[in-house]
Amino acid sequence: MVSHRRCTQSGFTRGVRVTVVSAAAATAAATLTGAPASADPKETRESAKAAVDRLYEEAERATERFNAAGERVKLLRGEADRAQDATARGQERVNEMRNALGAMAGAQYRTGSIDPSVALLLSAAPDTYLEQAAALDRAGARQAMTLDKLRHAQRKLAQSRAETTRALTDLERNRTTVTRHKRAVEAKLREARRLLDSLPPEDRASFDRASRSGRDGLPDLSGVAPGSARAMSAVAAVHQALGKPYVWGANGPSGFDCSGLMQWAYAQAGVSLPRTSQAQRYAGSMVPLSQAQPGDLVVYRADASHVGMYVGNDQVIHAPYPGAAVRYDPVGMMPVSSVTRI
């Protein structure tokens, strides 16, 4: 009887666990497939918008990591090419020295490799022979020393080339990983867009038109002037980009990501900026937001994963996220990390 009661208790416990797991699975499925019929429509719309904003942040972070990996790959490719060229030149010098030494060895063989003391005794002009022998000894020593240096340099170059190749392989693998992550985020964005498309047309239009802070319409920038000539050129360029699409990893002129837009705009002013928003943050001197001038770079979030250009009257121009065009938004659309004056 005791044994029977234990089995009954164990079976009851398993049954409870199965019921709990099944309930959790059902809840998760409901969350993934859509909101319950009793959900507040306004809450559903707000949840959808929050999810899309979250996905946009993930996309921007992935893009900046992708850009950084691409820049590092380009750098190491150049280093690898230079190392390989230097190794090839060193090998040519070594080959030339080997040929010279081979010729010398052949000459010695043809003369029978006579012992120097015997050659001196048999020589008709001992003084001349000694001078020639000393010169040959010095030449041989110089050649041996040069060959040793070249071999040492060749070993160093081969090591450098191997290290650079390994680093390049690692970075290529890293870039592949970032690309794979980017594709995953793009898939999430497509899902988010489908979710938005399921909302009423007025909600979709509101989301597509408004910024993260909810501003609508064009800002008043009358009377605003940049603080320097190059800033003026960059601001003029960034205005030309208004309406261009956000494109992954692009830096113009037909599409941009956030840091690509800043790089392109300042390139029109003759200024070379780094490729990523994290690096652009340190491309000039930092100033307080209260002292921002047109042309300053406004960097967002603690990880500096987004950047825009301040254009005056508390407005920035930036490439917001996939699916949105380059546009104006309030400078306070999201947490400001720093302001950099180029």
Side-chain angles (χ1 to χ4, degrees), residues 162-218:
E163 290 174 354
T164 303
T165 301
R166 283 195 299 271
L168 183 57
T169 301
D170 290 342
L171 285 175
E172 289 284 8
R173 188 181 301 113
N174 180 60
R175 184 171 182 175
T176 300
T177 301
V178 173
T179 302
R180 187 164 55 248
H181 178 64
K182 169 186 166 183
R183 289 171 180 165
V185 174
E186 286 177 329
K188 292 180 182 180
L189 289 173
R190 287 193 296 270
E191 288 297 323
R193 174 53 61 183
R194 281 195 285 269
L195 180 58
L196 283 174
D197 288 343
S198 68
L199 297 176
E202 59 272 17
D203 289 325
R204 293 200 305 271
S206 173
F207 188 89
D208 289 337
R209 186 172 59 251
S211 70
R212 292 179 174 90
S213 59
R215 182 196 58 75
D216 193 7
L218 296 178

Side-chain angles (χ1 to χ4, degrees), residues 1-6:
M1 293 296 291
V2 173
S3 175
H4 176 70
R5 282 198 298 272
R6 284 179 181 172

Side-chain angles (χ1 to χ4, degrees), residues 53 81 123 150 152 173 183 202 222 254:
D53 270 340
D81 289 342
S123 175
L150 287 173
H152 179 67
R173 188 181 301 113
R183 289 171 180 165
E202 59 272 17
S222 59
S254 57

